[in-house]
mmCIF file of all heavy atoms in Angstrom:
data_model
loop_
_atom_site.group_PDB
_atom_site.id
_atom_site.type_symbol
_atom_site.label_atom_id
_atom_site.label_comp_id
_atom_site.label_asym_id
_atom_site.label_seq_id
_atom_site.Cartn_x
_atom_site.Cartn_y
_atom_site.Cartn_z
ATOM 1 N N ILE A 29 145.977 -11.585 27.884
ATOM 2 C CA ILE A 29 145.974 -12.947 27.307
ATOM 3 C C ILE A 29 145.545 -13.966 28.370
ATOM 4 O O ILE A 29 144.710 -14.824 28.115
ATOM 5 C CB ILE A 29 147.365 -13.298 26.721
ATOM 6 C CG1 ILE A 29 147.654 -12.401 25.506
ATOM 7 C CG2 ILE A 29 147.420 -14.781 26.296
ATOM 8 C CD1 ILE A 29 149.063 -12.506 24.953
ATOM 9 N N GLY A 30 146.116 -13.832 29.568
ATOM 10 C CA GLY A 30 145.766 -14.761 30.655
ATOM 11 C C GLY A 30 146.421 -16.117 30.474
ATOM 12 O O GLY A 30 147.086 -16.378 29.475
ATOM 13 N N LYS A 31 146.232 -16.981 31.449
ATOM 14 C CA LYS A 31 146.830 -18.324 31.404
ATOM 15 C C LYS A 31 146.269 -19.095 30.225
ATOM 16 O O LYS A 31 145.049 -19.204 30.075
ATOM 17 C CB LYS A 31 146.527 -19.080 32.700
ATOM 18 C CG LYS A 31 147.514 -18.775 33.808
ATOM 19 C CD LYS A 31 147.249 -19.636 35.017
ATOM 20 C CE LYS A 31 148.165 -19.236 36.168
ATOM 21 N NZ LYS A 31 147.705 -19.740 37.447
ATOM 22 N N LYS A 32 147.170 -19.607 29.396
ATOM 23 C CA LYS A 32 146.792 -20.394 28.202
ATOM 24 C C LYS A 32 145.784 -19.648 27.306
ATOM 25 O O LYS A 32 144.966 -20.267 26.627
ATOM 26 C CB LYS A 32 146.210 -21.751 28.618
ATOM 27 C CG LYS A 32 147.221 -22.630 29.327
ATOM 28 C CD LYS A 32 146.622 -23.977 29.659
ATOM 29 C CE LYS A 32 147.620 -24.855 30.405
ATOM 30 N NZ LYS A 32 147.004 -26.067 30.919
ATOM 31 N N GLY A 33 145.827 -18.317 27.366
ATOM 32 C CA GLY A 33 144.950 -17.533 26.480
ATOM 33 C C GLY A 33 143.499 -17.498 26.913
ATOM 34 O O GLY A 33 142.626 -17.091 26.157
ATOM 35 N N GLU A 34 143.242 -17.915 28.174
ATOM 36 C CA GLU A 34 141.842 -18.011 28.620
ATOM 37 C C GLU A 34 141.157 -16.654 28.733
ATOM 38 O O GLU A 34 139.991 -16.500 28.397
ATOM 39 C CB GLU A 34 141.775 -18.746 29.968
ATOM 40 C CG GLU A 34 141.823 -20.256 29.783
ATOM 41 C CD GLU A 34 142.056 -20.999 31.091
ATOM 42 O OE1 GLU A 34 141.855 -20.381 32.147
ATOM 43 O OE2 GLU A 34 142.434 -22.181 31.039
ATOM 44 N N THR A 35 141.890 -15.634 29.231
ATOM 45 C CA THR A 35 141.265 -14.314 29.443
ATOM 46 C C THR A 35 140.848 -13.704 28.117
ATOM 47 O O THR A 35 139.715 -13.244 27.953
ATOM 48 C CB THR A 35 142.237 -13.380 30.197
ATOM 49 O OG1 THR A 35 142.686 -14.049 31.374
ATOM 50 C CG2 THR A 35 141.555 -12.088 30.588
ATOM 51 N N VAL A 36 141.764 -13.690 27.145
ATOM 52 C CA VAL A 36 141.439 -13.070 25.852
ATOM 53 C C VAL A 36 140.323 -13.844 25.148
ATOM 54 O O VAL A 36 139.461 -13.259 24.489
ATOM 55 C CB VAL A 36 142.702 -12.889 24.967
ATOM 56 C CG1 VAL A 36 143.167 -14.200 24.353
ATOM 57 C CG2 VAL A 36 142.442 -11.860 23.874
ATOM 58 N N LYS A 37 140.315 -15.159 25.332
ATOM 59 C CA LYS A 37 139.273 -15.987 24.715
ATOM 60 C C LYS A 37 137.904 -15.589 25.283
ATOM 61 O O LYS A 37 136.933 -15.407 24.557
ATOM 62 C CB LYS A 37 139.572 -17.464 25.014
ATOM 63 C CG LYS A 37 138.617 -18.434 24.310
ATOM 64 C CD LYS A 37 139.014 -19.876 24.591
ATOM 65 C CE LYS A 37 137.975 -20.826 23.997
ATOM 66 N NZ LYS A 37 137.625 -21.929 24.861
ATOM 67 N N LYS A 38 137.860 -15.405 26.608
ATOM 68 C CA LYS A 38 136.619 -15.017 27.279
ATOM 69 C C LYS A 38 136.179 -13.626 26.793
ATOM 70 O O LYS A 38 134.997 -13.388 26.533
ATOM 71 C CB LYS A 38 136.860 -15.008 28.788
ATOM 72 C CG LYS A 38 135.589 -14.828 29.592
ATOM 73 C CD LYS A 38 135.904 -14.834 31.083
ATOM 74 C CE LYS A 38 134.673 -14.468 31.892
ATOM 75 N NZ LYS A 38 134.973 -14.075 33.251
ATOM 76 N N MET A 39 137.157 -12.708 26.666
ATOM 77 C CA MET A 39 136.837 -11.346 26.205
ATOM 78 C C MET A 39 136.246 -11.380 24.799
ATOM 79 O O MET A 39 135.284 -10.687 24.504
ATOM 80 C CB MET A 39 138.096 -10.472 26.216
ATOM 81 C CG MET A 39 138.507 -10.024 27.588
ATOM 82 S SD MET A 39 140.012 -9.025 27.521
ATOM 83 C CE MET A 39 140.207 -8.597 29.251
ATOM 84 N N ARG A 40 136.847 -12.197 23.929
ATOM 85 C CA ARG A 40 136.347 -12.299 22.543
ATOM 86 C C ARG A 40 134.918 -12.831 22.542
ATOM 87 O O ARG A 40 134.047 -12.314 21.859
ATOM 88 C CB ARG A 40 137.247 -13.242 21.725
ATOM 89 C CG ARG A 40 138.573 -12.622 21.330
ATOM 90 C CD ARG A 40 139.438 -13.638 20.596
ATOM 91 N NE ARG A 40 140.725 -13.066 20.233
ATOM 92 C CZ ARG A 40 141.893 -13.694 20.361
ATOM 93 N NH1 ARG A 40 141.944 -14.908 20.839
ATOM 94 N NH2 ARG A 40 143.007 -13.101 19.995
ATOM 95 N N GLU A 41 134.715 -13.902 23.313
ATOM 96 C CA GLU A 41 133.397 -14.552 23.301
ATOM 97 C C GLU A 41 132.317 -13.647 23.890
ATOM 98 O O GLU A 41 131.232 -13.521 23.349
ATOM 99 C CB GLU A 41 133.455 -15.867 24.096
ATOM 100 C CG GLU A 41 134.157 -16.974 23.324
ATOM 101 C CD GLU A 41 134.456 -18.205 24.185
ATOM 102 O OE1 GLU A 41 134.109 -18.209 25.380
ATOM 103 O OE2 GLU A 41 135.055 -19.159 23.640
ATOM 104 N N GLU A 42 132.628 -12.996 25.010
ATOM 105 C CA GLU A 42 131.603 -12.210 25.703
ATOM 106 C C GLU A 42 131.321 -10.867 25.038
ATOM 107 O O GLU A 42 130.217 -10.364 25.101
ATOM 108 C CB GLU A 42 131.982 -12.017 27.178
ATOM 109 C CG GLU A 42 131.880 -13.326 27.947
ATOM 110 C CD GLU A 42 132.082 -13.148 29.439
ATOM 111 O OE1 GLU A 42 132.014 -12.007 29.929
ATOM 112 O OE2 GLU A 42 132.327 -14.166 30.119
ATOM 113 N N SER A 43 132.362 -10.281 24.410
ATOM 114 C CA SER A 43 132.147 -8.958 23.802
ATOM 115 C C SER A 43 131.665 -9.080 22.362
ATOM 116 O O SER A 43 130.975 -8.208 21.846
ATOM 117 C CB SER A 43 133.444 -8.145 23.828
ATOM 118 O OG SER A 43 134.397 -8.702 22.933
ATOM 119 N N GLY A 44 132.063 -10.180 21.681
ATOM 120 C CA GLY A 44 131.721 -10.320 20.262
ATOM 121 C C GLY A 44 132.671 -9.535 19.368
ATOM 122 O O GLY A 44 132.507 -9.481 18.152
ATOM 123 N N ALA A 45 133.706 -8.916 19.970
ATOM 124 C CA ALA A 45 134.676 -8.149 19.172
ATOM 125 C C ALA A 45 135.846 -9.058 18.802
ATOM 126 O O ALA A 45 136.122 -10.041 19.493
ATOM 127 C CB ALA A 45 135.190 -6.958 19.970
ATOM 128 N N ARG A 46 136.518 -8.705 17.683
ATOM 129 C CA ARG A 46 137.749 -9.436 17.338
ATOM 130 C C ARG A 46 138.890 -8.737 18.057
ATOM 131 O O ARG A 46 139.039 -7.516 17.974
ATOM 132 C CB ARG A 46 137.987 -9.392 15.831
ATOM 133 C CG ARG A 46 137.074 -10.341 15.095
ATOM 134 C CD ARG A 46 137.309 -10.299 13.616
ATOM 135 N NE ARG A 46 138.677 -10.629 13.290
ATOM 136 C CZ ARG A 46 139.265 -10.289 12.151
ATOM 137 N NH1 ARG A 46 138.616 -9.606 11.260
ATOM 138 N NH2 ARG A 46 140.501 -10.633 11.902
ATOM 139 N N ILE A 47 139.687 -9.500 18.785
ATOM 140 C CA ILE A 47 140.824 -8.914 19.517
ATOM 141 C C ILE A 47 142.085 -9.600 19.018
ATOM 142 O O ILE A 47 142.256 -10.807 19.200
ATOM 143 C CB ILE A 47 140.662 -9.110 21.051
ATOM 144 C CG1 ILE A 47 139.330 -8.509 21.516
ATOM 145 C CG2 ILE A 47 141.839 -8.504 21.793
ATOM 146 C CD1 ILE A 47 138.968 -8.799 22.971
ATOM 147 N N ASN A 48 142.946 -8.834 18.343
ATOM 148 C CA ASN A 48 144.201 -9.388 17.831
ATOM 149 C C ASN A 48 145.374 -8.726 18.523
ATOM 150 O O ASN A 48 145.357 -7.514 18.746
ATOM 151 C CB ASN A 48 144.321 -9.158 16.316
ATOM 152 C CG ASN A 48 143.353 -10.026 15.550
ATOM 153 O OD1 ASN A 48 143.010 -11.114 16.006
ATOM 154 N ND2 ASN A 48 142.878 -9.548 14.421
ATOM 155 N N ILE A 49 146.389 -9.511 18.837
ATOM 156 C CA ILE A 49 147.579 -8.983 19.509
ATOM 157 C C ILE A 49 148.768 -9.196 18.590
ATOM 158 O O ILE A 49 149.000 -10.306 18.113
ATOM 159 C CB ILE A 49 147.780 -9.681 20.871
ATOM 160 C CG1 ILE A 49 146.566 -9.383 21.768
ATOM 161 C CG2 ILE A 49 149.074 -9.225 21.534
ATOM 162 C CD1 ILE A 49 146.390 -10.280 22.955
ATOM 163 N N SER A 50 149.520 -8.114 18.315
ATOM 164 C CA SER A 50 150.642 -8.222 17.374
ATOM 165 C C SER A 50 151.702 -9.170 17.923
ATOM 166 O O SER A 50 151.916 -9.263 19.126
ATOM 167 C CB SER A 50 151.257 -6.847 17.103
ATOM 168 O OG SER A 50 151.897 -6.363 18.265
ATOM 169 N N GLU A 51 152.356 -9.852 16.994
ATOM 170 C CA GLU A 51 153.413 -10.796 17.373
ATOM 171 C C GLU A 51 154.683 -10.015 17.697
ATOM 172 O O GLU A 51 154.783 -8.836 17.425
ATOM 173 C CB GLU A 51 153.715 -11.724 16.179
ATOM 174 C CG GLU A 51 152.565 -12.632 15.795
ATOM 175 C CD GLU A 51 152.229 -13.628 16.877
ATOM 176 O OE1 GLU A 51 153.161 -14.089 17.551
ATOM 177 O OE2 GLU A 51 151.048 -13.923 17.061
ATOM 178 N N GLY A 52 155.676 -10.726 18.196
ATOM 179 C CA GLY A 52 156.994 -10.105 18.349
ATOM 180 C C GLY A 52 157.384 -9.961 19.799
ATOM 181 O O GLY A 52 156.548 -9.999 20.696
ATOM 182 N N ASN A 53 158.707 -9.785 19.999
ATOM 183 C CA ASN A 53 159.222 -9.684 21.358
ATOM 184 C C ASN A 53 159.500 -8.232 21.737
ATOM 185 O O ASN A 53 160.217 -7.966 22.680
ATOM 186 C CB ASN A 53 160.535 -10.488 21.477
ATOM 187 C CG ASN A 53 160.310 -11.921 21.083
ATOM 188 O OD1 ASN A 53 159.264 -12.477 21.374
ATOM 189 N ND2 ASN A 53 161.270 -12.527 20.406
ATOM 190 N N CYS A 54 158.973 -7.286 20.941
ATOM 191 C CA CYS A 54 159.262 -5.887 21.236
ATOM 192 C C CYS A 54 158.549 -5.501 22.540
ATOM 193 O O CYS A 54 157.541 -6.094 22.901
ATOM 194 C CB CYS A 54 158.816 -4.991 20.087
ATOM 195 S SG CYS A 54 157.204 -5.403 19.472
#
Side-chain angles (χ1 to χ4, degrees):
I29 293 172
K31 275 185 185 163
K32 296 183 182 171
E34 278 168 17
T35 308
V36 75
K37 185 177 174 223
K38 189 180 172 197
M39 284 179 178
R40 285 177 181 137
E41 284 169 1
E42 290 187 15
S43 69
R46 284 180 58 201
I47 304 172
N48 289 330
I49 298 163
S50 68
E51 295 295 325
N53 303 323
C54 45

